[in-house]
Amino acid sequence: MSDRITEFIGYPIWWGGTVWPANHFVTDHDFIGKKVILFAASSSSPLGSSGDDLATMVGTGDWQEGQRLSSNASAGEVSSWVESLDL
Ligand SMILES: Cc1cc2nc3c(=O)[nH]c(=O)nc-3n(C[C@H](O)[C@H](O)[C@H](O)COP(=O)(O)O)c2cc1C
């Protein structure tokens, strides 16, 4: 984990939820004092409760509402979303 104040956490949606590597990654790290921006890729499923599930597993950090991206999202779509965050 970096020293940055804002962290992006991305993961694919599997079976409608988070994936175990993402679960392990977040629970292995400390998010105290960090703003966490979530994004997930899926074929069609919405983000659902996956972002809240990760935040609950961790219990620290300021977890923002996540963004679902299509698994074939273009670089332009991703850039537009990041720019809309006004970081
Ligand atoms: C085991 C497995 C389960 C998946 N489950 C879902 C799902 O429930 N809903 C969905 O929209 N996509 C599902 N997907 C698609 C993944 O979200 C997609 O592969 C991922 O976003 C990466 O995109 P890519 O395969 O085009 O690189 C699943 C993929 C795998 C391999």
Side-chain angles (χ1 to χ4, degrees):
M1 185 70 78
S2 73
D3 292 334
R4 287 184 293 269
I5 300 294
T6 302
E7 300 284 356
F8 282 78
I9 303 286
Y11 53 95
I13 297 283
W14 279 9
W15 300 294
T18 64
V19 293
W20 63 263
N23 300 347
H24 284 291
F25 180 82
V26 298
T27 54
D28 280 352
H29 291 88
D30 180 356
F31 288 86
I32 293 172
K34 288 183 180 287
K35 179 178 183 178
V36 186
I37 299 177
L38 287 170
F39 62 99
S42 74
S43 303
S44 60
S45 294
L47 203 64
S49 65
S50 64
D52 289 339
D53 293 344
L54 290 176
T56 300
M57 281 178 215
V58 176
T60 58
D62 176 15
W63 293 65
Q64 307 294 300
E65 187 175 338
Q67 173 72 34
R68 181 259 171 189
L69 298 165
S70 167
S71 58
N72 61 1
S74 67
E77 287 173 274
V78 177
S79 296
S80 295
W81 167 61
V82 172
E83 284 162 15
S84 76
L85 296 171
D86 197 25
L87 296 173

